[in-house]
Amino acid sequence: MDQAEQLRNIMKRQSQQSKVARVITVTSGKGGVGKSSISVNLAIQMSKLGKRVIILDADFGLANVEVMLGIRPKYNLADLLFKGKGIKDIITEGPKGIGFISGGSGIQELNHISRNQIIDLTHKLDEIDSIADVIIIDTGAGINDMVLEFVVASSEILLVTTPEPTSITDAYALLKTLNRKPEFSATNSTIKLIANRVESIAEGKELFNKLNVVVNRFLNIKIEYLGSIPQDT
């Protein structure tokens, strides 16, 4: 079994078994589309529904989640990977009782972690099953190897885009890259698109339809429309 398959099996097992946390990976092809904002607000809404939620800020070295929450954590992923801390030690409490694991800010070592270290991290996620019903993984933007490792391994993927042409193009580029990866299983994964910062419900549906036409024509991937979020200054 290769490393990618190990990673995929770990995360799918976490999503599919009844006694472990549900894992949701939030990603995007382009930065600045509201991915981290959606991750945080989704966590808060799930907490209001009585779920125990933990966000993993997997945009390593940039720490978007802690900035949005206005909280400076004592520990981050660097302490887990390089300084011997346990994964429960680096969970910081946020609003509405959600927990989050900081990706660290300005820590160069986190930009160059290996696939083995990512696999080790997903193993450690098993340790927080007892304190979480939902784990939300907020990836970095783009199609770099680190992002793809989490997306390929996930059985539940939320793809965030906006009506901007570059955002739609980059979302398709991410899907195209996934389609080319032999370790990605389209049958065992669901990809749901969120149209963010739209002017109307109709614009959100039109965005999805445009992308879906191209995906159906050229890729062996299915995407679903989860809904839209209106632009609000």
Side-chain angles (χ1 to χ4, degrees):
M1 181 183 297
D2 63 22
Q3 292 173 330
E5 188 175 356
Q6 291 177 38
L7 175 60
R8 186 168 65 253
N9 288 342
I10 291 166
M11 293 184 66
K12 281 184 167 54
R13 186 167 64 249
Q14 288 172 332
S15 292
Q16 293 171 355
Q17 292 180 359
S18 59
K19 295 183 180 180
V20 298
R22 175 184 178 185
V23 179
I24 302 171
T25 298
V26 184
T27 193
S28 65
K30 181 180 182 295
V33 299
K35 173 179 53 58
S36 295
S37 178
I38 286 173
S39 297
V40 168
N41 283 287
L42 179 62
I44 291 172
Q45 291 302 319
M46 285 188 161
S47 179
K48 288 181 177 180
L49 293 174
K51 303 294 184 182
R52 301 169 299 169
V53 187
I54 292 175
I55 305 174
L56 168 60
D57 188 346
D59 195 356
F60 302 144
L62 295 178
N64 291 332
V65 170
E66 68 183 66
V67 172
M68 289 185 170
L69 295 178
I71 299 173
R72 185 171 183 176
K74 185 176 181 180
Y75 301 113
N76 55 51
L77 276 172
D79 296 290
L80 173 72
L81 295 174
F82 308 121
K83 299 181 181 179
K85 289 292 182 181
I87 193 162
K88 292 183 180 180
D89 298 328
I90 66 170
I91 298 173
T92 302
E93 185 174 351
K96 303 297 181 181
I98 67 172
F100 74 94
I101 298 172
S102 169
S105 180
I107 302 173
Q108 188 174 7
E109 293 87 348
L110 290 172
N111 292 324
H112 304 288
I113 66 174
S114 67
R115 177 180 288 179
N116 282 336
Q117 286 173 309
I118 296 177
I119 291 174
D120 184 54
L121 173 59
T122 58
H123 274 295
K124 287 181 169 61
L125 291 178
D126 286 333
E127 300 175 21
I128 59 177
D129 282 330
S130 61
I131 60 172
D133 301 308
V134 181
I135 299 171
I136 297 174
I137 300 176
D138 178 27
T139 75
I143 55 175
N144 63 60
D145 290 340
M146 196 176 301
V147 170
L148 291 173
E149 287 294 340
F150 283 108
V151 177
V152 164
S154 300
S155 58
E156 191 168 0
I157 301 159
L158 301 186
L159 176 62
V160 182
T161 187
T162 69
E164 296 177 0
T166 53
S167 177
I168 299 171
T169 301
D170 289 349
Y172 178 74
L174 187 148
L175 295 173
K176 185 177 179 180
T177 304
L178 278 181
N179 189 65
R180 291 175 173 174
K181 294 186 75 68
E183 61 268 36
F184 178 72
S185 173
T187 57
N188 294 323
S189 302
T190 60
I191 303 174
K192 299 179 181 180
L193 184 134
I194 298 175
N196 194 23
R197 299 174 60 183
V198 299
E199 296 296 335
S200 65
I201 293 175
E203 184 179 39
K205 291 180 179 178
E206 182 182 2
L207 187 161
F208 169 76
N209 289 336
K210 285 180 178 178
L211 184 60
N212 194 41
V213 165
V214 182
V215 169
N216 285 337
R217 182 174 180 182
F218 296 108
L219 306 181
N220 295 316
I221 288 178
K222 299 294 183 183
I223 61 174
E224 303 173 21
Y225 184 50
L226 189 59
S228 62
I229 301 172
Q231 168 69 11
D232 186 342
T233 55

